């Protein structure tokens, strides 16, 4: 793409009242963490298809994640999941990450894959299992301290399948008790993110099914507890951008897991389905960040963004790159909404003008802008092509089959 294209794009945007220098700065600051488990073998409950070249340990997962950052400049940190990423020496993992230009991001406890958790972890009727689950949460806080991460990200599979199977209120109390103990172990700068999901693996009730219950839990625990929104964790047709706006206004939106879904928690490449939804979510965040409410603006600037995806049939690294680029492109479009014009239309109750202001930005072709930003960031203007041509995908085939699975 030539300078001519960018100049033309800039002129068009100036006419729309958009200052592209601000947009470029925002795009350069946008960072989206990748999940270590997204590089391992994964599947559905029917089959895990093993791919060749899958990383064999957490160190190799970081090497693959470094490729995503190398070609996009947008994902300098990697979330880990314990025990999937358990190592003997976490300072070694931290140093390995930093030698690759990365850092260790959110630490995710795993309270769903041990036989003991069949009937719940922090909500189990058996006190010694609740103790075990709480000890694992505390272990993850310690790991976060060792790897210099300030985020521990919680998701609970706890729930039941049948009416009468368990006492909802009792389980709520047990969960609160365990989380309070964990909260007490956080250093001052640390954050504890509480992720909700309405069903799966439990099919009748889930102990933390929605943002309201996660928010209530966070409020009870204290200011270091915040809510994490995952796009795949809502019933169909939920207005996620509204939830995002609400949480920002309450200053409790801690993290965001990007992925795409058509039916449930499909964990597909971001924006593969309904890209407009991601655009509208990002619009709420940008509107809070650039608005006059100082607290909401601060919250919007502090959201921990992460991809939370498992690519079961596609090659892992390019699928991650694709997702990161899709987020970048939709973020760029959302930055092109003329917020002043939008607020004016809202004030005047001009429904058509308001909707037009939002949609018009979505319809802009942001290719010249993204290419200019990538050039200024010193990354390839076409990251997918550059990755494909790098030969890394072929080189790792030497690892063979049977790498780490999630
Ligand atoms: C649960 O479905 C989830 O979204 C949580 O973030 C988990 O930690 C992650 O997926 C990996 O299973
Ligand atoms: Mn998630």
């Amino acid at each position: 793409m030539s300078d001519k294209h960018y100049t033309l794009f800039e002129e068009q945007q100036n006419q729309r009242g958009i200052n592209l220098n601000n947009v470029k700065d925002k795009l350069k600051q946008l960072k989206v963490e990748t999940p270590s488990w997204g590089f391992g073998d994964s599947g559905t409950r029917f089959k895990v298809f093993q791919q060749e070249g899958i990383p064999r340990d957490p160190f190799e997962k970081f090497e693959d994640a470094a490729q995503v950052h190398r070609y996009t400049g947008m994902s300098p940190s990697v979330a880990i999941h314990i025990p999937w990423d358990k190592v003997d020496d976490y300072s070694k993992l931290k140093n390995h990450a930093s030698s690759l230009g990365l850092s260790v991001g959110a630490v995710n406890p795993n309270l769903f894959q041990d036989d003991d958790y069949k009937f719940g972890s922090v909500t189990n009727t058996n006190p010694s299992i609740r103790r075990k689950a709480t000890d694992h949460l505390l272990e993850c806080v310690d790991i976060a301290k060792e790897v210099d991460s300030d985020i521990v990200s919680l998701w609970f599979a706890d729930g039941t399948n049948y009416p009468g199977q368990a006492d909802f209120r009792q389980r709520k109390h047990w969960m609160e008790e365990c989380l309070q103990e964990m909260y007490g172990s956080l250093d001052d700068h640390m954050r504890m993110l509480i992720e909700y999901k309405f069903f799966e693996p439990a099919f009748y009730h889930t102990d933390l099914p929605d943002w309201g219950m996660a928010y209530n839990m966070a409020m009870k625990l204290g200011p270091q507890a915040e809510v994490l929104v995952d796009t795949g964790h809502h019933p169909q047709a939920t207005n996620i951008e509204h939830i995002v706006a609400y949480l920002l206004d309450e200053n409790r939106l801690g993290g965001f897991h990007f992925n795409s879904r058509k039916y449930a928690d499909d964990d597909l490449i971001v924006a593969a389905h309904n890209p407009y939804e991601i655009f509208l979510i990002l619009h709420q965040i940008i509107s809070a960040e650039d608005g006059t409410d100082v607290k909401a603006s601060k919250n919007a600037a502090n959201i921990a963004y992460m991809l939370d995806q498992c690519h079961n049939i596609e090659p892992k690294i390019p699928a991650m790159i694709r997702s990161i680029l899709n987020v970048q492109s939709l973020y760029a479009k959302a930055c092109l909404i003329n917020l002043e014009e939008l607020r004016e239309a809202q004030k005047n109750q001009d429904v058509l003008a308001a909707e037009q202001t939002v949609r018009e930005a979505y319809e802009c072709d942001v290719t010249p802008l993204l290419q200019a930003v990538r050039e200024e960031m010193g990354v390839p203007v076409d990251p997918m092509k550059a990755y494909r041509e790098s030969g890394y995908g072929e080189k790792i085939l030497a690892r063979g089959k049977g790498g780490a699975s999630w």
Side-chain angles (χ1 to χ4, degrees):
M1 186 78 54
S2 67
D3 287 351
K4 216 171 71 197
H5 283 110
Y6 181 73
T7 310
L8 185 65
F9 181 80
E10 194 171 31
E11 268 171 31
Q12 286 164 350
Q13 294 304 324
N14 281 343
Q15 275 165 21
R16 294 184 59 248
I18 300 294
N19 177 342
L20 275 196
N21 287 331
N22 293 346
V23 176
K24 279 178 162 179
D25 286 345
K26 286 180 94 67
L27 279 163
K28 287 177 199 166
Q29 279 158 27
L30 180 65
K31 302 291 174 241
V32 183
E33 188 159 298
T34 55
S36 70
W37 55 98
F39 297 96
D41 271 328
S42 62
T44 65
R45 65 196 167 112
F46 299 101
K47 167 83 180 151
V48 172
F49 293 105
Q50 291 193 323
Q51 294 189 15
E52 273 182 77
I54 293 300
R56 291 160 292 190
D57 58 38
F59 294 90
E60 287 187 346
K61 289 183 194 169
F62 272 78
E63 283 157 31
D64 287 6
Q67 295 295 308
V68 181
H69 183 49
R70 176 169 184 187
Y71 294 103
T72 62
M74 279 182 60
S75 39
S77 63
V78 183
I80 57 173
H81 222 295
I82 308 296
W84 297 336
D85 295 314
K86 211 175 173 81
V87 290
D88 294 337
D89 181 352
Y90 286 97
S91 65
K92 227 168 127 186
L93 190 64
K94 181 179 84 172
N95 293 338
H96 184 64
S98 104
S99 74
L100 295 162
L102 301 174
S103 61
V104 182
V107 178
N108 291 252
N110 184 321
L111 293 171
F112 48 88
Q113 277 190 322
D114 190 301
D115 281 345
D116 277 348
Y117 301 140
K118 184 170 168 186
F119 298 115
S121 62
V122 291
T123 61
N124 200 299
T125 48
N126 181 337
S128 63
I129 294 180
R130 295 203 300 279
R131 183 68 256 155
K132 173 173 164 167
T134 311
D135 286 343
H136 178 56
L137 295 175
L138 298 175
E139 177 196 0
C140 288
V141 174
D142 284 343
I143 293 171
K145 290 175 186 171
E146 273 183 73
V147 296
D148 280 342
S149 167
D150 53 4
I151 295 183
V152 182
S153 196
L154 307 178
W155 172 71
F156 298 95
D158 292 51
T160 60
N161 277 355
Y162 295 99
Q165 186 185 325
D167 180 335
F168 298 154
R169 284 188 296 118
Q170 178 67 80
R171 287 168 71 100
K172 175 172 173 284
H173 295 166
W174 284 330
M175 182 180 270
E176 263 176 54
E177 252 170 52
C178 297
L179 293 196
Q180 252 153 17
E181 188 175 339
M182 177 193 168
Y183 189 89
S185 74
L186 296 175
D187 284 344
D188 289 350
H189 66 283
M190 294 178 90
R191 297 196 279 161
M192 166 173 167
L193 308 185
I194 305 173
E195 181 176 6
Y196 59 91
K197 172 162 150 172
F198 78 121
F199 89 107
E200 200 200 24
F203 296 110
Y204 169 57
H205 112 282
T206 296
D207 289 282
L208 276 180
D210 64 32
W211 72 270
M213 293 192 206
Y215 172 75
N216 187 43
M217 184 66 83
M219 290 302 283
K220 284 185 167 180
L221 292 171
Q224 288 167 255
E226 298 172 323
V227 179
L228 187 149
V229 177
D230 180 314
T231 34
H233 288 192
H234 307 84
Q236 294 279 7
T238 300
N239 185 334
I240 303 176
E241 57 269 28
H242 184 196
I243 296 172
V244 162
Y246 193 99
L247 289 171
L248 282 169
D249 198 61
E250 296 292 332
N251 315 130
R252 288 288 170 149
L253 181 58
F256 198 93
H257 282 179
F258 288 106
N259 48 53
S260 188
R261 68 85 169 269
K262 183 136 181 81
Y263 300 107
D265 191 17
D266 306 345
D267 281 344
L268 302 175
I269 288 174
V270 181
H273 302 280
N274 202 357
Y276 201 52
E277 179 180 61
I278 301 284
F279 164 82
L280 293 174
I281 290 167
L282 292 169
H283 160 53
Q284 289 301 331
I285 294 170
I286 293 163
S287 158
E289 200 174 348
D290 293 353
T292 49
D293 178 340
V294 180
K295 280 191 181 163
S297 167
K298 205 170 149 218
N299 185 167
N302 272 322
I303 300 168
Y305 296 110
M306 196 189 93
L307 300 182
D308 186 8
Q309 303 173 188
C310 290
H311 306 112
N312 304 337
I313 55 167
E314 59 277 60
K316 316 279 173 179
I317 302 170
M320 287 292 176
I321 295 177
R322 180 75 273 148
S323 286
I324 294 281
L325 299 181
N326 288 354
V327 174
Q328 187 184 40
S329 160
L330 291 163
Y331 188 80
K333 286 169 184 269
C335 286
L336 298 182
I337 296 176
N338 186 325
L339 293 175
E340 258 174 55
E341 202 177 287
L342 180 62
R343 286 172 190 138
E344 191 58 24
Q346 290 170 346
K347 198 175 86 195
N348 297 333
Q349 301 181 348
D350 189 339
V351 179
L352 285 180
E355 194 274 341
Q356 159 74 16
T357 305
V358 173
R359 186 169 34 80
E360 159 185 301
Y362 182 73
E363 286 167 357
C364 290
D365 175 5
V366 290
T367 313
L369 170 63
L370 295 182
Q371 295 193 341
V373 166
R374 288 182 194 136
E375 244 164 37
E376 289 175 27
M377 287 170 75
V379 296
V381 289
D382 185 344
M384 279 298 262
K385 183 164 175 271
Y387 171 74
R388 241 182 281 120
E389 289 172 0
S390 73
Y392 187 85
E394 289 75 39
K395 196 183 93 186
I396 55 176
L397 294 180
R399 292 172 184 163
K401 266 192 183 183
S405 58
W406 78 163

